[in-house]
Structure formats: structure tokens, C-alpha cells
């Protein structure tokens, strides 16, 4: 699989999608007229619910606090810090499992001719790093066979104290600062100073295990005093594609009273710079949502950070099924990859051995939903039918072989032929004893609802934020056998929305949005 940073799936949608006509829907009957389910209780339907936004927040971490791999504040780190403060460089014993990594330095003092560096280094000195020189230059450098090559640089003035960070997401490097007087109008503490705009990809492919596995977190200083250095997997500049971790039957997977989610963690650019993060959330305090894990994937001799998938608990086989999307448009195309594991997939940094899921599709497939319905594994996903003259994608319903495992002989059951617009973000959700397909249509700004015969029903009554928010809707048990319904989704508010000098481009979004049904 080639790695092509020129065009993302979301970017392609914006560039290629044409206007489409509106279409009607089948109105669901009023709640009072609905057929009573077994036991005399009314069967709920999507049209019964009206959602309102209760919380909006944006996690931003260059290193997730729970996933820090190296810290000079921990045992043994003080000696390393003392060496750096006398002008030495430190190569740690820890390194990333995939090319998503950060090194953060707390710079307290910097002499007039001083400098600091942070990055990844091999035992022979080869590697990639960010440098800040007190003369007012920030740069990305590639070190190979003792020679230092400046990949890109910019003039930036920082005054100590400040924090300085090297970030790599896939083959894209970013350099950030917090404090120090440099501010471009970005609403968040970490200010982008420089990106290599994908130039590193032409010089060194960090997706290759033979290259990445040589590298460890490294940092250094000359004429500077550091108070702390931390390193670990890159976190996120925003979240999207939020997906509830569910049991095979679609019910929320609850552990110690907490929900778990996977989400696409945006990097320093387009789709290939993102990866999958694992989060836990207290539904009573969703604003305290915290990252507890990261998923990376290994296949075809690549280390990648696929995303836009989900994690499903299959208790019958004591496993979690991980789905994620990888690739690019138009080539090699986007496909769904899958792997399995145990409870370890809920926390920590995990490298999942994956393979392609053999879904039937025309040109590409993404946004999968997997559920065990009536003893048979069912899927919903977006099927890309055309690239030109415009990008076209519609959801399909499919199922694995009856009595087989989730990846066995998957066949298409039904396709959407009624709705004219592109729609994606597929979710399969049961309301009462009936299953529905929920998708998101950015053009009409609606959360569409189809029954399992792919007939359109009344759209969800819910606010539609910027971009293409996915309809991650689910019930939680309330007192007295009642249910309360939540939606956890995201928008496409850019990290540099208010910046006077945006550097990162499309794909660095968005906010998490929580809604409750009233």
C-alpha cells in the first residue's frame, strides 16, 4: 500500500461532491400509535427522540497524560536532565511502536547562542529532530550517517521560559511551542511553529519497521537549562469519528460504570496523520473524558495509525474485534482492516496485527459498523461507487455467512438507492426490538434513518454541527427500567480556526459534542 498525502477522503469529498436533489422519507407513526411490544411497553423509534447539546469540549494533548513513556521527573530521569543541562544529548531506552510520537521540553533558560533539540534517534546518531536556535530559527532536521540536513526552517522568536515540542504523525513532522511569546491566534496553548509539509516522506519512510524500530526518544541542549523532558505517543489536536465500544449485540460496553470509545485522533495534517485513540467517559461527567489507550496497526510490513473504525466486545469468544480504515483516495483506495485482542485493547499503547476485511465494495469502503443480529454478524459501511466526475458513496448493509465468524464470506444484503446525497458515518442501532441504520448527510445537514430494508424513515431530531458529525446514538439504563438516550459526536472545527498564520491544513479537527434526548 502506498502512502499518498496529497488527498484525504474528507478533502476529496469537499472537492468532488456535486449538488444533489432532496428526497422524501417514510414518516414513522406517532409515539402514541406505536405497536406495543411484549409485556405491554411501547416500542421506541428514532423519531421519538429530540436531542439537545449538553457539552462541548476538545481534548488536546501532544502526549496523553496516562500514556507518557519517558519522564525526567520519574526515577532515574534526574541524571539524564543533568547531562543535558551540561550540553550533552540523551537517547532514551524508550521508543514509539508506530510513527506517532512526541518529545516535549520545558525550557527554563536559553543563552543568546543556545539551542535545544527534540526528536527520535538511532544508536548511530541517525534520526529526525526539531531544533530551536536562540538566534530565532526553528527547523526540522534529518540526521543520516553523521550529516545533518535541514528539511525546512522558519524564523520564530521565543523567550524563555517556554515549552518546545517535536511531533511526528505518520511521515509528517510538526514543531510546537507553549509560552515564549509566540502566538498566532490559535485558541489552544500549543502554537504550531513549523511543519515539514510531508517532505520527510520523500527522505525517510517511518512506516517501515526496520527504520522505526531503530529509533528512540531523544533530546539535547546547548547553552540551555531544561526543567523537564517528557516523551511518548502522540495524542491529538482534536477528535472525530467518535465510536462507542459496544457488546456484540450493540449494547454499550460498560466497565466500572464507565463507557469506552474509540475516536480518530487528528495529527498535524490530512487523514494519514490521524490514528485511533481509546477513551473512557463517565456519562454523568462527559467533560472529564480521558484517553486511556492508542491503537496502531501492523500489516503489509507497515506500521500505521488507521482510524474511523470501532471496537466490539464478543463475549462468546472472549475477545475484542478492532476495525479501522486505512488507505487513500483515489489510489490505492480506502479499505477496512481488522484484528482481535483481549482486554488490553482498552488501555495502553497497542500494536494490532491486522489484515484486510473482505467487504464487497466498488472502489473503497469506510465507516464500518458491526453488530451480531439474530445470531449473524451484520455490517453497515459506506461504499464508494465513483471517483469521477464526482465522488459518490452510499451505505450498504451486508452480513457474514450464517453461523460463521464476523469475517467469513461477507455478502451485500441491501444498498441505499433512494437518498440522492452522499452519506456516511454508518451506525446500526436498535430501538426497542427493531434495528435501524443511521448515517450523516453533510449536504442536507441531517442524520438520516433507514430501516433494515433500507427504506428511509424520519431523520433524527438533533442539532447538526459543522462538518459531518456521526450519529453515535445509544441508550443507557435509568431508574425504574427507564432509558436515557445520548449522542456523542464531533464537529469539524479546525485547530487553527482563528489563527492568523495557519500551518496545519485540513484534517486537524474537531470538538467532541455530547447530546441528550429530551
Amino acid at each position: 500500500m502506498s502512502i499518498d498525502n496529497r488527498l484525504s477522503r474528507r478533502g476529496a469529498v469537499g472537492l468532488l461532491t456535486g449538488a444533489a436533489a432532496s428526497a422524501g422519507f417514510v414518516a414513522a407513526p406517532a409515539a402514541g400509535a406505536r405497536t406495543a411490544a411484549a409485556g405491554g411497553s411501547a416500542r421506541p423509534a428514532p423519531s421519538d427522540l429530540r436531542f439537545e447539546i449538553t457539552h462541548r469540549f476538545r481534548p488536546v494533548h501532544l502526549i496523553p497524560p496516562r500514556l507518557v513513556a519517558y519522564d525526567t521527573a520519574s526515577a532515574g530521569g534526574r541524571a539524564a536532565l543533568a547531562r543535558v543541562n551540561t550540553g550533552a544529548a540523551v537517547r532514551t531506552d524508550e521508543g514509539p511502536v508506530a510513527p506517532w510520537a512526541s518529545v516535549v521540553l520545558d525550557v527554563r533558560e536559553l543563552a543568546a547562542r543556545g539551542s535545544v533539540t527534540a526528536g527520535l534517534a538511532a544508536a548511530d546518531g541517525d534520526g529526525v529532530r526539531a531544533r530551536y536556535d536562540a538566534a530565532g530559527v526553528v527547523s526540522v532536521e534529518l540526521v543520516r550517517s553523521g550529516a545533518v540536513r535541514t528539511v525546512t526552517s522558519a524564523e520564530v522568536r521565543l523567550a524563555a521560559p517556554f515549552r518546545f515540542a517535536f511531533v511526528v504523525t505518520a511521515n509528517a513532522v510538526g514543531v510546537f511551542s507553549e509560552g515564549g511569546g509566540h502566538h498566532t491566534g490559535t485558541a489552544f496553548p500549543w502554537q504550531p511553529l513549523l511543519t515539514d509539509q510531508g517532505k520527510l516522506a520523500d527522505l525517510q519512510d517511518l512506516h517501515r519497521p526496520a527504520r522505526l524500530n531503530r529509533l528512540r526518544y531523544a533530546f539535547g541542549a546547548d547553552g540551555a537549562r531544561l526543567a523537564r523532558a517528557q516523551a511518548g505517543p502522540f495524542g491529538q489536536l482534536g477528535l472525530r469519528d467518535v465510536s462507542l465500544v459496544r457488546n456484540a449485540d450493540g449494547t454499550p460496553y460498560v466497565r466500572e460504570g464507565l463507557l469506552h470509545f474509540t475516536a480518530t485522533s487528528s495529527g498535524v495534517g490530512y487523514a494519514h496523520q490521524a490514528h485511533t485513540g481509546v477513551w473512557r467517559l463517565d456519562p454523568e461527567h462527559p467533560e472529564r473524558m480521558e484517553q486511556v489507550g492508542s491503537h496502531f496497526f501492523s500489516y503489509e510490513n507497515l506500521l500505521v495509525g488507521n482510524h474511523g473504525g470501532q471496537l466490539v466486545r464478543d463475549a462468546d469468544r472472549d475477545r475484542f474485534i478492532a476495525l479501522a480504515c486505512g488507505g487513500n483516495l483515489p489510489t490505492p483506495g480506502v479499505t477496512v482492516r481488522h484484528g482481535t485482542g483481549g482486554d488490553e485493547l482498552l488501555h495502553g499503547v497497542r500494536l494490532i496485527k491486522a489484515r484486510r476485511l473482505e467487504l464487497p465494495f466498488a472502489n473503497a469502503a469506510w465507516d464500518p459498523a458491526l453488530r451480531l443480529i439474530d445470531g449473524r454478524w451484520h455490517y453497515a459501511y459506506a461504499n464508494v461507487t465513483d471517483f469521477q466526475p464526482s465522488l459518490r458513496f452510499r451505505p450498504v448493509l451486508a452480513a457474514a455467512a450464517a453461523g460463521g465468524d464476523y469475517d467469513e464470506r461477507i455478502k451485500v444484503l441491501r444498498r441505499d438507492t433512494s437518498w440522492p446525497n452522499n452519506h456516511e458515518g454508518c451506525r446500526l442501532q436498535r430501538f426497542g426490538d427493531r434495528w435501524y441504520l443511521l448515517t450523516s448527510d453533510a449536504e442536507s445537514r441531517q442524520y438520516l434513518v433507514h430501516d433494515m430494508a433500507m427504506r428511509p424513515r424520519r431523520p433524527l431530531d438533533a442539532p447538526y454541527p459543522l462538518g459531518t458529525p456521526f450519529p453515535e446514538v445509544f441508550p443507557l439504563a435509568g431508574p425504574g427500567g427507564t432509558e436515557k438516550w445520548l449522542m456523542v459526536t464531533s464537529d469539524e472545527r479546525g485547530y487553527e480556526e482563528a489563527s492568523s498564520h495557519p500551518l496545519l491544513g485540513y484534517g486537524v479537527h474537531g470538538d467532541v459534542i455530547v447530546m441528550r434526548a429530551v
Side-chain angles (χ1 to χ4, degrees):
M1 181 184 75
S2 62
I3 303 295
D4 180 1
N5 289 304
R6 293 172 296 178
L7 184 65
S8 72
R9 183 254 291 188
R10 302 276 187 211
V13 172
L15 290 171
L16 302 177
T17 302
S22 62
F25 53 82
V26 179
R34 205 155 278 126
T35 304
S41 61
R43 179 171 59 235
S47 57
D48 290 338
L49 306 176
R50 178 171 60 87
F51 287 91
E52 293 181 352
I53 295 174
T54 60
H55 297 81
R56 180 192 293 266
F57 53 91
R58 187 189 194 106
V60 173
H61 295 103
L62 299 191
I63 309 173
R66 287 187 171 272
L67 302 181
V68 173
Y70 176 86
D71 192 342
T72 55
S74 61
R78 189 173 301 175
L81 199 61
R83 293 200 308 273
V84 168
N85 286 338
T86 59
V90 168
R91 178 178 179 265
T92 74
D93 294 331
E94 293 78 18
V97 302
W100 278 260
S102 300
V103 180
V104 177
L105 307 182
D106 185 348
V107 183
R108 291 301 175 89
E109 297 176 4
L110 185 62
R113 295 185 179 181
S115 65
V116 293
T117 60
L120 302 173
D124 60 6
D126 286 2
V128 58
R129 66 193 184 194
R131 174 185 295 274
Y132 178 70
D133 190 302
V137 177
V138 60
S139 57
V140 174
E141 298 177 341
L142 181 68
V143 183
R144 183 177 291 170
S145 301
V148 178
R149 175 174 178 175
T150 299
V151 178
T152 187
S153 64
E155 293 184 2
V156 173
R157 288 287 180 180
L158 298 173
F162 60 89
R163 299 177 79 200
F164 180 73
F166 160 91
V167 165
V168 61
T169 57
N171 276 332
V173 175
V175 188
F176 293 78
S177 68
E178 181 183 24
H182 180 81
H183 201 282
T184 65
T186 301
F188 304 97
W190 284 109
Q191 301 293 306
L193 303 179
L194 182 67
T195 66
D196 74 330
Q197 299 180 341
K199 295 177 182 178
L200 178 67
D202 297 329
L203 303 173
Q204 179 168 271
D205 187 0
L206 297 181
H207 292 284
R208 301 293 178 183
R211 292 187 178 178
L212 184 71
N213 292 344
R214 299 173 58 228
L215 303 179
R216 302 291 183 268
Y217 302 116
F219 58 99
D222 184 11
R225 184 174 70 87
L226 306 184
R228 190 177 188 181
Q230 291 180 297
F234 173 76
Q236 69 293 135
L237 299 176
L239 295 183
R240 57 185 185 270
D241 309 340
V242 181
S243 181
L244 177 68
V245 177
R246 297 174 182 259
N247 296 304
D249 64 358
T251 56
Y253 175 80
V254 181
R255 188 167 185 149
E256 299 176 350
L258 301 176
L259 303 174
H260 284 74
F261 292 83
T262 60
T264 299
S265 299
S266 64
V268 296
Y270 275 26
H272 284 307
Q273 277 73 62
H275 75 284
T276 297
V278 183
W279 300 76
R280 66 183 180 189
L281 179 145
D282 179 349
E284 297 303 319
H285 301 282
E287 73 282 359
R288 300 176 187 174
M289 181 177 179
E290 65 173 347
Q291 185 174 0
V292 292
S294 288
H295 287 175
F296 302 101
F297 298 84
S298 170
Y299 56 82
E300 298 173 6
N301 198 34
L302 295 172
L303 303 170
V304 297
N306 290 350
H307 47 84
Q310 64 170 195
L311 193 61
V312 176
R313 172 63 174 166
D314 179 12
D316 289 344
R317 301 200 183 194
D318 192 24
R319 66 183 178 181
F320 282 89
I321 302 167
L323 304 178
C325 302
N328 207 355
L329 297 180
T331 56
V334 177
T335 57
V336 179
R337 306 284 172 160
H338 68 108
T340 59
D343 289 353
E344 75 279 358
L345 296 186
L346 291 176
H347 57 83
V349 181
R350 305 302 172 190
L351 182 63
I352 301 171
K353 292 183 178 180
R355 58 191 184 276
R356 176 168 163 168
L357 185 65
E358 296 302 327
L359 294 174
F361 61 84
N363 292 307
W366 58 66
D367 298 347
L370 174 64
R371 306 285 184 268
L372 187 62
I373 302 174
D374 296 330
R376 187 179 183 186
W377 291 102
H378 283 67
Y379 288 89
Y381 55 92
N383 174 35
V384 178
T385 58
D386 299 286
F387 291 139
Q388 296 294 340
S390 63
L391 185 66
R392 301 297 299 159
F393 49 89
R394 306 285 184 83
V396 300
L397 291 171
D405 206 355
Y406 74 95
D407 59 342
E408 294 181 8
R409 301 191 304 279
I410 303 168
K411 304 293 184 184
V412 171
L413 301 178
R414 290 181 176 84
R415 306 175 189 270
D416 171 41
T417 59
S418 60
W419 191 257
N421 297 352
N422 292 335
H423 51 118
E424 56 186 332
C426 301
R427 299 293 187 264
L428 288 171
Q429 178 60 51
R430 184 170 59 192
F431 293 80
D433 59 355
R434 292 187 178 180
W435 285 90
Y436 295 85
L437 167 65
L438 311 180
T439 58
S440 183
D441 173 18
E443 188 170 343
S444 68
R445 297 182 57 78
Q446 295 182 95
Y447 304 102
L448 304 181
V449 179
H450 288 74
D451 62 23
M452 295 300 280
M454 204 62 94
R455 295 174 298 195
R457 299 288 178 173
R458 188 183 301 277
L460 284 181
D461 185 356
Y464 197 94
L466 177 71
T468 310
F470 289 0
E472 187 59 270
V473 174
F474 55 92
L476 292 177
T482 61
E483 289 181 330
K484 54 183 179 181
W485 287 81
L486 277 70
M487 181 189 296
V488 181
T489 187
S490 61
D491 67 5
E492 290 189 10
R493 186 167 76 93
Y495 184 82
E496 297 175 288
E497 182 182 53
S499 175
S500 58
H501 303 290
L503 293 174
L504 303 179
Y506 177 83
V508 188
H509 53 264
D511 293 357
V512 176
I513 298 170
V514 180
M515 308 185 202
R516 295 184 186 270
V518 297

